[in-house]
Amino acid sequence: QVQLVESGGGLVQPGGRVTLTCAASGTALDRYSVGWFRQPPGKERESIICIGKFSATAAKGRFFSSRNIARNTVSLQINKLESEDTAVYYCATQSSPACSLQETAYSDWGQGTQVTVSA
């Protein structure tokens, strides 16, 4: 079982940038594809981006994910923050390199980190 801990959340200004980190223990994170999800207040959890197990980076619009193998972490950078980005952000792992964004493909999840975008 992979133990995941997200960090880096907090209160951020609209238009700014935040970098979240997903740290793993119990195994090497580069053995897995890592997905990022978020759950806005009062809404269902939604997928954001996945970085494949053989990939060093992934990008999608304002979202950029990268690996730090030495630190056994994966980060998620969110640029040009909007109020709609306010949510609890989660990372999760899947063993397949296919990098599905379906939640059912993921076996281990972190506890989440809160990002609040507000002036």
Side-chain angles (χ1 to χ4, degrees):
Q1 185 177 6
V2 184
Q3 296 178 326
L4 303 171
V5 177
E6 302 92 339
S7 62
L11 178 63
V12 290
Q13 297 272 343
R17 174 189 299 172
V18 68
T19 299
L20 309 178
T21 299
C22 176
S25 59
T27 189
L29 202 52
D30 62 358
R31 296 174 59 187
Y32 299 88
S33 297
V34 178
W36 285 94
F37 298 77
R38 68 183 182 184
Q39 186 165 20
K43 296 183 179 181
E44 296 291 315
R45 189 159 58 188
E46 60 190 25
S47 64
I48 303 172
I49 194 170
C50 177
I51 181 168
K53 65 190 296 185
F54 301 122
S55 299
T57 62
K60 182 179 180 181
R62 297 182 294 112
F63 302 92
F64 179 77
S65 185
S66 61
R67 294 184 183 274
N68 186 318
I69 295 175
R71 294 182 178 179
N72 204 26
T73 62
V74 169
S75 65
L76 174 68
Q77 179 178 300
I78 311 171
N79 300 306
K80 298 180 181 179
L81 284 158
E82 306 167 353
S83 58
E84 291 76 17
D85 293 319
T86 295
V88 178
Y89 285 75
Y90 301 88
C91 63
T93 57
Q94 63 172 283
S95 57
S96 170
C99 230
S100 168
L101 287 174
Q102 297 294 320
E103 289 192 25
T104 53
Y106 293 83
S107 54
D108 295 287
W109 293 76
Q111 83 291 345
T113 185
Q114 174 73 48
V115 173
T116 301
V117 183
S118 176

